[in-house]
Amino acid sequence: MSQLPADARAVVIGGGVAGCSVAYHLARLGWTDVILVERHDLTEGTTWHSAGFVGQLRSTVTQTRMIMYSAGLYPELRELTGLDPGWHGVGGLRLATTPERMEELLRQAGAAETYGLDLEVLDPRGTHDRLPLLEVGDVRGSLWLPGDGWLDPARLGHALAEGARALGVRIFTGVEVTGIDVHDGRVTAVRLRGEDGEHSEDGEHVVRTETVVNAAGAAAGVVGRMAGADIPIVPIKHQYVVTPASGVPAETPTVRDPDNIVYFREEDGGILVGGYIRSPQVWDTDRPLSEPRTLFTPDMPKFRESWDSAVRRVPSLKPVGAGDDPAAFRKVVHGPEAFTPDGEFLLGETAVAGLWVAAGFCVHGLAAAGGVGKVMAEWIVEGAPEYDVFGMDVRRFGSYARSARWARARALDSYSTYYDIVYPGEERTAARPLRRSPAWVRHEALGATFGEKAGWERVNWYPPTPDAGTAHSAQSAQAVRPRGWAGRVWSPAIREECLATRDAAGLFDQTSFAKLEISGSVADLERLAGNALDRPVGVEVSARVYPVVYTQLLNERGGIEADVTVTRLAEDRFRLVTGTAFGVHDAALLRRHGLAVADVTSAYACYCLWGPRAYEILALLTDDDLTFGYLRAAEISVGYVPVLAQRVTFVGEFGWELYCPSEYGLTLWDSLMEAGLPHGMRPAGYRALDSLRLEKGYRVWGLDVTPETTPLEAGLGFAVRPERRAALPSPRMALRCLVLDDERDVCQGGEPVRLDGRPVSRVTSGGFGHRVGRSIAYAYLPVEVEPGERVEVGVNGRRVGATIIREPLYDPEGARVRAEPWAAADR
């Protein structure tokens, strides 16, 4: 084996499928001066004991595309490397035994057709015909995915490693990472021990590098701490068994039976059976994976539920026994898996520049390992991956993820509910409450129903008015309750809050907004922003007035990396406001472009007073002039509270975002409530906010706009300065507003959209617009498709007609938003 070098363009830490895939794909993109280090032999961390399932259909398009890419790569590796990656393309079955699960399968099938994924919905007879060893008496249906299969994890790792070697990557095993050097917030070197060659006096070998990829699996948290980076990895014990050979055909499909928390496949003529138990156990250790091929003592009582489910589903397993004797099985594998707080991968650059992470594979990582390598290599080499991967970006977590107790509680919850149906809008309860607005005590006292995002407790809605329980009101409420899943997490209060905002005013607590203070030249910020930001701070009437700009932050392809408002507070000082979960992501983006950024989210409360009587209400509380115009901000006093008031709206009504230092937050909320309630104002929650913004066509980053979409495609060309707009690629798709024929069919995102009978797109976001009384959805359609044309949308297992409508549906001229303050109440 060659000697460790003194320098490398990149160092990959971890010789499992993640590390080998990242190294391979870096080399494919031309980074051949790469070394990979592994303290044991390749794949001997967590990869070697993976069950190897490759299931292509996932809950998001990015997950599915990554796994589809992987499924296409794995069979090719044999030809590329001469090594067999152990790919078994046997197809896969996903069973449903309850009406709710069957509805989920139908929703997944609808989404799959927009991914171009080959899939078939089977009835119980068709399910049995596909795999006769199954007992299907309680099966309502299944999905058949012929592109699914399974892999031998160790073979895959070695095939990826060999592919990397063939392209110039150097791989060193038996080498332990002892430290990562960081200078001025950037990685400068990796310290290693174990390889023959020249060392420093303390036995370490230093490799100078500016790029390190932490693919250390269950040990990724330990490696991250070497550089001062917090990576919320929780090693959790996972168990499966393999039965003795009994003539099970090698072509047997993989099977997932999520209602019974069990999965299985063929292995060496027997059956591999695994499951996700309801009482998982964390592997408590300071040195995870310090020994190769770590396994734990079999815990058969914990495995009993999954084994019993497997026996009911496959009666031929009964002779193996009750599952309580490890000796009855050919092997019992009880090993560590690296879980994350939300059960999704951790990818991307950490808070330490040059330190990247590809870990937290949460049992299903083998399926996506090829896709992980692809997006990581593109991210590192080209600055951005092809796919929108924010849902996997390590920066989706804030500083609260430093808490090992928080990460542990959330990871255990994610594991124990791994096979549960995830209903849109359903809220998890683990590790809550955590982050609370100063007005949270008032929300709780009012009986608010809370949701959670990025650790923040946010009001979804307040209780409906008292007469909502009367017979007449109950019938009226039931008449507008959406069908299917959209009606599961719903309240008649949402409509009341929307109409109060339209007719009087709504008061929204949006303290969770991420707020960033930016220092630097306007030219540096404009290089990233689409819109013009060089607008003067001036004096209007009697106040110092600041310009507010709505803009997107764009990547080199013109894709939308963030959707924000920017307030210019001085020549070289700006306040950027972005979505609750996006602050860490957006701050990192700005810093990469040379701007100094301070996250001041927790320093300020934010309450939004919107509606035609907002001026009347706020004027009661201030002696300052409120006549500054739309997209302007001014410093005023509300009662005794210093406030930055911004004429900005996300609901399409006149009003302000009111920012004050957090210590004044409770006083400001009480003052607004006391002044507003006599004028018909209601406090309102995020479900009303979402309904109101849909009617106005306001986009949400991560749903309607992503790094894969440009402002021209998203209908946001008005927010891009002319010279930047001219440089954007001509759009082939455009975001369109759809109105469904039946108002009780409500989309929640991901539903397939058909044009002339063929699938062309999927819904980005949808809901019910209470001011216009219509069911609304948005979807990207070919640019030549014009308003007035018809499409079909797959909702609740049916195809529903919809019409493309010119947007916005509500107040298309924008008169209510731009009204003069004294005239707003007349609208």
Side-chain angles (χ1 to χ4, degrees):
M1 183 179 294
S2 60
Q3 181 174 300
L4 280 163
D7 301 270
R9 193 168 192 181
V11 176
V12 179
I13 301 170
V17 289
C20 292
S21 184
V22 171
Y24 170 69
H25 284 87
L26 282 172
R28 276 181 44 161
L29 292 183
W31 279 33
T32 55
D33 183 18
V34 174
I35 68 169
L36 182 150
V37 295
E38 164 59 48
R39 64 173 143 183
H40 306 305
D41 285 334
L42 295 178
T43 77
E44 289 196 338
T46 56
T47 292
W48 72 277
H49 62 69
S50 169
F53 279 66
V54 177
Q56 297 178 81
L57 183 58
R58 295 290 169 177
S59 59
T60 70
V61 62
T62 295
Q63 292 171 334
T64 302
R65 288 164 72 183
M66 288 172 66
I67 295 174
M68 289 175 69
Y69 170 84
S70 299
L73 171 67
Y74 298 156
E76 296 173 6
L77 281 173
R78 185 198 301 265
E79 295 182 19
L80 292 171
T81 67
L83 296 179
D84 180 5
W87 169 244
H88 301 260
V90 295
L93 286 167
R94 190 172 303 205
L95 309 183
T97 62
T98 64
E100 295 79 10
R101 185 70 67 178
M102 193 66 211
E103 188 173 357
E104 180 190 50
L105 293 192
L106 292 175
R107 283 176 58 86
Q108 291 174 328
E113 73 177 28
T114 69
Y115 305 156
L117 188 60
D118 191 9
L119 176 149
E120 183 180 358
V121 179
L122 303 178
D123 61 15
R125 184 184 184 92
T127 303
H128 185 266
D129 289 344
R130 181 64 65 179
L131 186 55
L133 60 80
L134 296 181
E135 165 56 49
V136 297
D138 62 337
V139 172
R140 291 176 174 265
S142 68
L143 296 185
W144 165 245
L145 295 108
D148 283 6
W150 61 277
L151 284 156
D152 181 297
R155 288 185 179 183
L156 171 62
H158 284 283
L160 286 165
E162 187 58 33
R165 284 193 186 99
L167 294 174
V169 173
R170 287 172 288 176
I171 296 176
F172 301 90
T173 57
V175 175
E176 183 175 4
V177 177
T178 57
I180 299 174
D181 293 348
V182 177
H183 182 69
D184 288 337
R186 169 167 286 281
V187 166
T188 58
V190 176
R191 296 180 176 272
L192 307 169
R193 180 182 288 117
E195 172 65 21
D196 291 337
E198 295 183 6
H199 302 278
S200 61
E201 291 183 1
D202 62 1
E204 290 184 323
H205 181 96
V206 177
V207 178
R208 293 182 294 272
T209 185
E210 293 187 349
T211 301
V212 175
V213 181
N214 176 2
V222 175
V223 172
R225 287 192 291 274
M226 292 179 182
D230 297 302
I231 299 174
I233 290 288
V234 180
I236 293 180
K237 298 178 180 181
H238 184 75
Q239 194 165 203
Y240 67 80
V241 301
V242 180
T243 68
S246 58
V248 178
E251 63 273 14
T252 298
T254 65
V255 179
R256 291 173 176 82
D257 186 358
D259 290 324
N260 296 289
I261 61 170
V262 67
Y263 60 80
F264 49 91
R265 65 166 173 84
E266 182 272 341
E267 181 167 309
D268 295 331
I271 297 181
L272 181 153
V273 177
Y276 295 89
I277 62 175
R278 298 298 186 185
S279 55
Q281 185 178 358
V282 169
W283 181 25
D284 286 314
T285 178
D286 294 331
R287 301 185 67 237
L289 306 184
S290 59
E291 299 296 327
R293 293 180 167 256
T294 297
L295 288 179
F296 312 115
T297 302
D299 190 343
M300 305 317 292
K302 278 188 175 292
F303 195 67
R304 184 63 182 265
E305 184 179 356
S306 293
W307 176 252
D308 288 348
S309 294
V311 172
R312 287 195 302 273
R313 186 64 59 219
V314 183
S316 61
L317 290 175
K318 289 181 181 179
V320 177
D324 52 3
D325 180 9
F329 300 102
R330 190 161 61 82
K331 63 181 176 180
V332 177
V333 176
H334 191 199
E337 295 287 354
F339 255 74
T340 65
D342 58 3
E344 192 45 83
F345 303 160
L346 293 178
L347 307 179
E349 193 172 22
T350 68
V352 178
L355 178 64
W356 298 75
V357 62
F361 274 21
C362 306
V363 182
H364 60 280
L366 195 78
V372 165
K374 167 186 161 64
V375 300
M376 286 293 295
E378 292 168 346
W379 216 338
I380 293 167
V381 176
E382 300 171 359
E386 177 185 357
Y387 308 147
D388 169 24
V389 295
F390 178 75
M392 308 173 194
D393 192 331
V394 66
R395 295 168 299 183
R396 68 189 182 273
F397 297 116
S399 59
Y400 53 89
R402 294 174 186 165
S403 167
R405 293 188 181 189
W406 179 87
R408 178 188 182 121
R410 294 296 286 245
L412 286 170
D413 180 65
S414 292
Y415 183 102
S416 64
T417 59
Y418 189 79
Y419 265 166
D420 286 3
I421 297 171
V422 180
Y423 296 104
E426 190 174 62
E427 302 286 352
R428 298 296 191 192
T429 59
R432 292 178 58 187
L434 181 60
R435 307 172 79 182
R436 289 180 270 189
S437 156
W440 178 87
V441 292
R442 300 293 190 256
H443 307 324
E444 185 185 42
L446 288 171
T449 296
F450 289 97
E452 180 267 341
K453 191 166 189 177
W456 283 99
E457 293 294 316
R458 311 194 308 177
V459 176
N460 280 339
W461 59 76
Y462 295 90
T465 52
D467 65 353
T470 66
H472 174 75
S473 296
Q475 291 172 2
S476 175
Q478 186 61 37
V480 297
R481 180 187 287 271
R483 293 189 181 95
W485 283 12
R488 291 182 63 92
V489 185
W490 176 88
S491 170
I494 301 169
R495 174 178 173 81
E496 295 178 336
E497 292 169 11
C498 289
L499 298 187
T501 304
R502 178 194 68 186
D503 299 334
L507 182 61
F508 299 79
D509 185 347
Q510 295 197 258
T511 298
S512 67
F513 273 168
K515 313 164 196 83
L516 307 176
E517 296 277 0
I518 304 170
S519 301
S521 73
V522 68
D524 287 340
L525 188 52
E526 273 194 345
R527 275 193 284 273
L528 186 57
N531 213 340
L533 301 176
D534 193 4
R535 305 182 187 191
V537 176
V539 176
E540 296 180 11
V541 193
S542 60
R544 184 172 175 81
V545 175
Y546 309 103
V548 181
V549 177
Y550 170 60
T551 187
Q552 293 77 45
L553 306 183
L554 306 180
N555 59 35
E556 292 183 358
R557 300 191 300 263
I560 300 170
E561 291 287 346
D563 189 63
V564 301
T565 58
V566 178
T567 303
R568 191 176 193 181
L569 300 175
E571 288 298 308
D572 60 353
R573 188 165 66 90
F574 308 84
R575 181 178 296 172
L576 180 148
V577 178
T578 186
T580 297
F582 309 144
V584 177
H585 169 275
D586 293 3
L589 180 66
L590 292 160
R591 290 181 183 120
R592 284 205 305 274
H593 285 75
L595 294 154
V597 181
D599 189 330
V600 296
T601 299
S602 300
Y604 297 97
C606 173
Y607 307 129
C608 299
L609 178 64
W610 290 318
R613 306 195 75 174
Y615 174 75
E616 186 178 349
I617 294 166
L618 195 61
L620 294 171
L621 298 170
T622 185
D623 299 321
D624 293 313
D625 196 295
L626 298 176
T627 60
F628 54 91
Y630 181 59
L631 292 179
R632 297 289 187 273
E635 292 174 345
I636 65 173
S637 294
V638 179
Y640 306 132
V641 177
V643 168
L644 178 68
Q646 299 196 161
R647 269 288 304 275
V648 177
T649 180
F650 198 55
V651 301
E653 301 288 355
F654 173 92
W656 297 271
E657 294 175 355
L658 304 171
Y659 295 87
C660 71
S662 290
E663 67 267 26
Y664 297 100
L666 185 57
T667 301
L668 179 59
W669 178 268
D670 287 345
S671 298
L672 292 167
M673 287 287 284
E674 182 179 359
L677 290 178
H679 294 269
M681 184 196 80
R682 281 186 64 137
Y686 270 80
R687 295 302 167 81
L689 184 77
D690 194 51
S691 170
L692 296 164
R693 71 93 188 167
L694 278 167
E695 296 170 304
K696 281 297 291 182
Y698 294 149
R699 283 40 171 159
V700 171
W701 190 82
L703 297 176
D704 307 307
V705 295
T706 74
E708 297 183 46
T709 58
T710 71
L712 297 184
E713 292 171 324
L716 298 174
F718 68 88
V720 183
R721 60 189 185 273
E723 65 273 20
R724 190 74 188 265
R725 187 164 57 243
L728 293 173
S730 297
R732 294 182 294 110
M733 304 287 281
L735 189 62
R736 299 295 193 196
C737 178
L738 315 178
V739 170
L740 279 65
D741 293 347
D742 190 327
E743 66 179 35
R744 289 191 63 201
D745 288 315
V746 176
C747 295
Q748 298 177 293
E751 292 85 356
V753 179
R754 288 175 169 256
L755 177 67
D756 297 328
R758 57 187 177 84
V760 294
S761 186
R762 70 189 69 85
V763 170
T764 59
S765 64
F768 189 81
H770 293 279
R771 290 177 299 191
V772 300
R774 311 296 291 273
S775 176
I776 305 166
Y778 279 82
Y780 282 91
L781 297 171
V783 291
E784 60 269 17
V785 179
E786 295 290 341
E789 296 192 43
R790 299 276 294 169
V791 296
E792 288 182 325
V793 184
V795 187
N796 300 321
R798 301 181 298 115
R799 294 183 188 175
V800 179
T803 302
I804 302 168
I805 301 293
R806 195 175 304 278
E807 57 172 325
L809 290 172
Y810 182 72
D811 188 25
E813 303 302 322
R816 297 175 73 92
V817 172
R818 292 177 171 81
E820 296 294 340
W822 53 84
D826 298 330
R827 295 283 173 186

